[in-house]
Amino acid sequence: MGKRFDFLIIGSGLAGMSFALKVADKGSVALICKTTLDEANTYYAQGGIASVMNGLTDNFEKHIEDTLICGDGHCKADVVEKIVRKGPEMIDQLVTWGVDFDKNNVGEYDLHKEGGHSENRILHHKDNTGAEIQLSLVEQLKKHPNIHIFEHHFAIEIITQHHLGQIITHNTTNIECFGAYVMNEKTRSITTFLAKVTLMATGGIGNVYLTTSNPTIATGDGIAMAHRARGVIKDMEFVQFHPTVLYNPNERPSFLITEAMRGYGAVLRNGKKQEFMYKYDKRGSLAPRDIVARAIDNEMKISGDDFVYLDVTHMNAEETKKEYPTIYKKCLSLGIDITKDLIPVVPATHFLCGGILVDDNACSSIRRLYAAGECACSGLHGANRLASNSLLEAIYYADVAAKHAVKAIEQYDFQLNIPDWNDEGTSLPEEMVLITQSIREVGQLMSAYVGIVRSNLRLKRAMNRLKILYSETEILFDRSVVSREICELRNIISVAYLVIKQASLRKESRGLHFNVDYPGKNPQEAEF
Ligand code: SIN
């Protein structure tokens, strides 16, 4: 038996939750989350959210320019301008929902600085801003009677004309989304969720790589589903590696050491304890992330070390403990007192600039399907995201999507003749070990061949290896009863395919995509 909702939201980070809160007075809302409401990429964002809040030193033009410079000639300038100018309104909205940003002793926002920013403009809540945002919005969600929350539910596929027997190709122009097939993880039953409109807000792809700052749920599900439904996916080659996660090899996800710490004064040092960033960029440890991550990668290759250091020992110890309590406690639990000891750090996959292509209203190329947050590609980030612009993008696109969707639902009805999910197949005892091993293999090949520095040979090798994993997985999928694990493996493989393919097509190096065979920029490839 299916369910019907005016609005279906897949994903419970900032984009999904704020969209829910904005449309809930206009109709029924289903919010699907893979695990629990608080487990989203948003929760793990330490640094904060960028917005121009101090008119004395900062202005919109500076934030726009920083974003464009960081995006390395590939941003959509009109999108950057719109979002930056809406920043203060979006911050007010979060405050209305109960988010508590830190203030200084005269009652003004305490603004941090991060790489690539020319001014202090990062609003934060200590060093756990994401958790503050996530938990504040969860409280609001739970109060609204129209919002129905489905925890431990996993979206398997979005429903289109394909499920009515129509042949859909990448050239089909009128593809429509009628909802999604969703699995209840506790009962293993699959329900058809019909919706007038659907928002994809499934977050990032970090687990396509071996090491990531993202939670284990970040497996690119929304992008993979939209790709299989023949939606347009763009800029997948621009995978952002955060320069500094804590070096602690067996920990998943990797623990982030916020970039705000470098804004505060921390510096990067190599194995010989030498500060090295000025060799690479005049902005030193505060250069944009692509430059810092490549510099660290290079230093580790030169020395053969497994990590470099972040040094905050020269700063006031009490201030460090007060500003970065989460990092202080975490490191101390591993025997590192950050006020006295250097912190071992490495780069790790952190954010995807590309994703489901959306227009100014967050509409994807599939009718009735919106996308917002990390799974969407709006043009804000270009070839490299400016630190702390992602939460701003998520709340902005949820806002425009909500405004568009509440009008759009008037013209749509539920598509009633959708067949139930065909759940024939058998559960094979050896299945789990095959799935786990294949996920590991994808991570290994992506980290080895499609990482911070790429080459034509590495990309080709990655694609050849991935094709084998793809064929094996499709055979397994066809004969097995569907499970979250096999679906995540398929999604990881689809996303890896898109990253490798789009990286192979870019015949230049720009922003986060660096190919040794094309080390320079090609002006003809700049356009978004
Ligand atoms: C950080 O705190 O360094 C991460 C924030 C971001 O990715 O924008």
Side-chain angles (χ1 to χ4, degrees), residues 46-47 114 242 256-260 289 350 385 387-390:
Q46 283 182 1
E114 293 179 351
H242 195 289
L256 191 66
I257 306 290
T258 179
E259 193 159 309
R289 278 185 195 167
H350 180 63
R385 176 180 65 99
S388 288
N389 264 357
S390 48

